[in-house]
Amino acid sequence: MVALQHEPSGRDRILGAARDLFAAHGFHQTSMAELAAAAKVSVGQIYRLFKGKEDIIDAIVANDTRDREAMILALQRRLDAGEISIERTFELLLLEMMDNPHEALSFDILAEGFRNERVAQIIADMCAHFRKSLGDFATIANPALSGKALEGAEEIILACMFGLGHRSLSGSALSAECTARQAADMLVAALRAMS
Amino acid sequence: MVALQHEPSGRDRILGAARDLFAAHGFHQTSMAELAAAAKVSVGQIYRLFKGKEDIIDAIVANDTRDREAMILALQRRLDAGEISIERTFELLLLEMMDNPHEALSFDILAEGFRNERVAQIIADMCAHFRKSLGDFATIANPALSGKALEGAEEIILACMFGLGHRSLSGSALSAECTARQAADMLVAALRAMS
């Protein structure tokens, strides 16, 4: 029973250390020995919990996906309850996307998505999930949207979320708050103008 | 003189092979020996032309930047000459961005931007250059735009370009043509609605 009680904390420590090391040096440039040292566990313990580095990346992506889905669902609930406007919903969504302390890791993960079928599948599933919620948001902004117009709108909101969520290399002078507010207003105006 | 005549073609062969290998296996997982074999040159020849792998990445990013800047300038000239509308300008711009055969490499390069100051600088310079042209496009859509509203518009168009340029992992069912047309219309509507 002791092992069972300790496993979750060992697992979380490994995932936390992996996130930091992968972000700083890259996924492929981090060895299991470095990871074990940073997580204060043995290499053997890592291999008891994960099949290998790819399995750790899978777990990180799955965690991030769960967090983001929960964030979107929480926004959707507040929107449905009439607590926040559709503009404010997009604004908060974009602010969450821009609050990305591990952008470098996120690029490594995306690159990995092209070389690792499982990671690609997790990313595609996450996007499909996002798209459903974004479609709901888009039809709240413009109830007339349907079919290809709605699909396109979902895709473009997703692109905007993704682009703004990876803006730190572009060297923008504008604050995240200002950008999110303006992008939200632009999205709602664009959605309302669609037929 | 023979060496001088051969150098450009050796250089191009190395860059072409590097692009393919880095895209397939990742930047850090490709060795100079593999690169030399694929480019049909000696490792020594690579080192006569490039200081190391980072220098090759620099050259790839610089080439891509030059190509993209030329593409945007060509669009700007056609727009200024009245050959294409502002909607069509955005549509063609987004289509060019979506035609990205090396998405995996592009993510590796972006991750490298967080770990390599020179790559970060090239990316930031490219974005600053883009932003200037995008600002011109935005004010053609809406001549009243200026100050922070214009800066925000540039940033959001850039995010949209970037997001749509990396859409293949998101598993969209919509064609690039359809997405570009709709995104262009949405951008123009959003820009016109801004005060």
Side-chain angles (χ1 to χ4, degrees):
Chain A
M1 292 310 288
V2 173
L4 273 178
Q5 278 170 346
H6 278 98
E7 264 175 27
S9 117
R11 188 183 157 86
D12 287 348
R13 258 201 340 270
I14 293 164
L15 289 179
R19 210 179 265 276
D20 292 340
L21 285 174
F22 293 171
H25 310 297
F27 168 53
H28 291 283
Q29 297 87 265
T30 302
S31 71
M32 282 300 210
E34 288 167 321
L35 177 54
K40 297 187 171 51
V41 298
S42 66
V43 171
Q45 191 173 352
I46 299 182
Y47 279 107
R48 273 194 298 279
L49 292 163
F50 299 98
K51 273 180 225 136
K53 265 203 284 183
E54 311 229 321
D55 205 28
I56 297 175
I57 276 282
D58 278 7
I60 289 176
V61 180
N63 274 358
D64 285 355
T65 301
R66 211 171 34 231
D67 288 352
R68 292 227 162 124
E69 287 178 357
M71 174 271 284
I72 293 201
L73 274 182
L75 284 178
Q76 198 155 11
R77 246 178 251 120
R78 293 176 66 192
L79 175 67
D80 289 346
E83 271 177 54
I84 49 176
S85 66
I86 183 64
E87 285 86 352
R88 182 79 179 142
T89 305
F90 280 125
E91 184 186 339
L92 293 172
L93 174 68
L94 294 171
L95 268 178
E96 288 276 359
M97 294 300 297
M98 283 191 262
D99 181 22
N100 182 355
H102 287 301
E103 266 192 58
L105 175 58
S106 141
F107 287 128
D108 272 337
I109 288 173
L110 290 161
E112 193 62 20
F114 287 90
R115 297 167 193 139
N116 177 333
E117 193 52 49
R118 265 179 70 196
V119 171
Q121 194 54 53
I122 296 174
I123 295 171
D125 289 348
M126 176 183 71
C127 289
H129 213 278
F130 274 9
R131 221 180 258 130
K132 218 209 131 309
S133 299
L134 297 178
D136 291 344
F137 295 168
T139 48
I140 285 174
N142 181 354
L145 285 179
S146 69
K148 289 217 166 191
L150 180 56
E151 261 181 77
E154 290 163 13
E155 171 94 7
I156 290 151
I157 302 168
L158 198 58
C160 198
M161 281 168 65
F162 181 78
L164 289 179
H166 296 91
R167 71 200 276 265
S168 72
L169 281 174
S170 83
S172 169
L174 233 54
S175 71
E177 288 69 26
C178 189
T179 308
R181 199 161 45 238
Q182 191 170 333
D185 287 347
M186 285 178 71
L187 277 178
V188 173
L191 291 167
R192 293 207 170 128
M194 288 172 74
S195 51
Chain B
M1 291 310 287
V2 173
L4 273 178
Q5 277 171 347
H6 278 97
E7 264 177 25
S9 118
R11 188 183 158 88
D12 287 348
R13 263 208 328 278
I14 293 164
L15 289 179
R19 212 180 264 277
D20 291 340
L21 285 175
F22 293 172
H25 309 297
F27 168 53
H28 292 282
Q29 297 88 264
T30 302
S31 71
M32 282 300 210
E34 287 167 320
L35 178 55
K40 297 186 172 50
V41 299
S42 67
V43 171
Q45 192 173 352
I46 299 182
Y47 279 107
R48 272 194 298 280
L49 292 164
F50 299 97
K51 274 181 225 134
K53 266 203 283 182
E54 313 230 319
D55 205 29
I56 297 176
I57 276 282
D58 279 6
I60 290 176
V61 180
N63 274 358
D64 285 355
T65 300
R66 212 172 33 231
D67 288 351
R68 292 227 163 125
E69 288 177 355
M71 175 270 286
I72 293 200
L73 274 183
L75 283 177
Q76 198 156 10
R77 246 179 252 119
R78 293 176 66 192
L79 175 66
D80 289 345
E83 270 178 55
I84 50 175
S85 66
I86 182 65
E87 286 86 353
R88 182 79 179 142
T89 305
F90 280 126
E91 184 186 340
L92 292 172
L93 174 67
L94 294 171
L95 268 178
E96 288 278 358
M97 294 300 297
M98 285 192 261
D99 182 22
N100 181 355
H102 287 302
E103 266 193 59
L105 174 58
S106 140
F107 287 127
D108 272 335
I109 288 173
L110 290 162
E112 194 61 20
F114 288 91
R115 296 167 195 139
N116 178 330
E117 192 52 49
R118 264 180 69 196
V119 171
Q121 194 54 53
I122 297 174
I123 295 172
D125 289 348
M126 176 183 72
C127 289
H129 213 279
F130 275 8
R131 220 179 260 130
K132 217 211 132 306
S133 300
L134 297 179
D136 291 343
F137 294 168
T139 47
I140 285 174
N142 181 353
L145 285 179
S146 69
K148 288 216 169 194
L150 180 57
E151 261 181 77
E154 290 163 13
E155 170 94 8
I156 290 150
I157 302 168
L158 199 59
C160 198
M161 281 168 65
F162 181 78
L164 289 179
H166 296 91
R167 71 200 276 264
S168 72
L169 281 174
S170 82
S172 170
L174 233 54
S175 72
E177 288 70 25
C178 189
T179 307
R181 199 161 45 238
Q182 191 170 332
D185 287 347
M186 285 178 71
L187 278 179
V188 174
L191 291 167
R192 293 208 169 128
M194 288 173 74
S195 50

